Amino acid sequence: MSDKQEYIAKLEKAIAQKYGSEAINNPRRFWSDEKEKEYIVQSQAEQKKFAKLAESQDKVEQDGFLINKKLLNRDHKRTCPICERYSFRPKDDLYMNKFNACWKCYIQHVEGREERWATGWRPNKGK
């Protein structure tokens, strides 16, 4: 045997001692036709998942800008129907979802009058 072959044999022996005999076996030894079919099915499922993800991240041109298609489908209530102010504050999101009013309008019109608000009363917009 040549020096290179002896080195490889010693290396394989050391790997087998440290990690077990399966670490030095050829991976084809443990592969079968059933495993191949199962792998193909899993691979196709992954491809479908990635295709669906890529489709949801498609860009659409709107007003001269490319916008993620996913963002166009979202319905965010950011404008208060009472005072008609636009807000990004998380505190306003809470009150918009529960009372359909921003935090300031909640304090001014709803707080302490939740039952009246729930029956449908709203302040006049002209005042």
Side-chain angles (χ1 to χ4, degrees):
M1 275 211 287
S2 70
D3 290 338
K4 192 174 186 181
Q5 289 175 337
E6 288 179 24
Y7 174 75
I8 291 172
K10 287 180 183 178
L11 190 61
E12 282 184 354
K13 187 175 180 182
I15 290 172
Q17 286 177 348
K18 187 169 185 177
Y19 300 108
S21 61
E22 287 183 3
I24 59 170
N25 287 327
N26 189 334
R28 289 186 188 175
R29 179 178 179 192
F30 304 107
W31 200 254
S32 64
D33 288 337
E34 295 91 31
K35 286 187 178 184
E36 181 71 24
K37 289 176 185 175
E38 184 180 331
Y39 170 76
I40 290 172
V41 169
Q42 289 175 354
S43 176
Q44 290 172 345
E46 282 291 314
Q47 288 176 347
K48 287 179 185 177
K49 187 170 103 176
F50 285 126
K52 187 175 181 180
L53 179 66
E55 180 182 307
S56 70
Q57 294 179 347
D58 284 342
K59 307 285 185 201
V60 177
E61 185 177 344
Q62 184 172 359
D63 299 330
F65 296 98
L66 288 176
I67 300 174
N68 192 331
K69 191 188 274 186
K70 204 174 189 181
L71 293 174
L72 293 175
N73 296 337
R74 292 183 181 169
D75 182 29
H76 289 293
K77 296 180 182 177
R78 293 275 183 202
T79 306
C80 176
I82 309 302
C83 66
E84 298 178 353
R85 288 189 182 162
Y86 192 82
S87 172
F88 278 115
R89 293 185 296 180
K91 166 167 61 172
D92 286 340
D93 288 343
L94 173 73
Y95 292 101
M96 285 296 292
N97 288 334
K98 191 166 183 179
F99 298 104
N100 202 20
C102 68
W103 179 75
K104 287 183 178 180
C105 290
Y106 169 78
I107 296 297
Q108 188 175 4
H109 302 292
V110 182
E111 189 175 38
R113 306 177 198 107
E114 284 86 2
E115 290 177 17
R116 182 178 176 194
W117 189 266
T119 60
W121 176 86
R122 299 294 183 265
N124 295 333
K125 287 188 178 187
K127 294 182 180 180

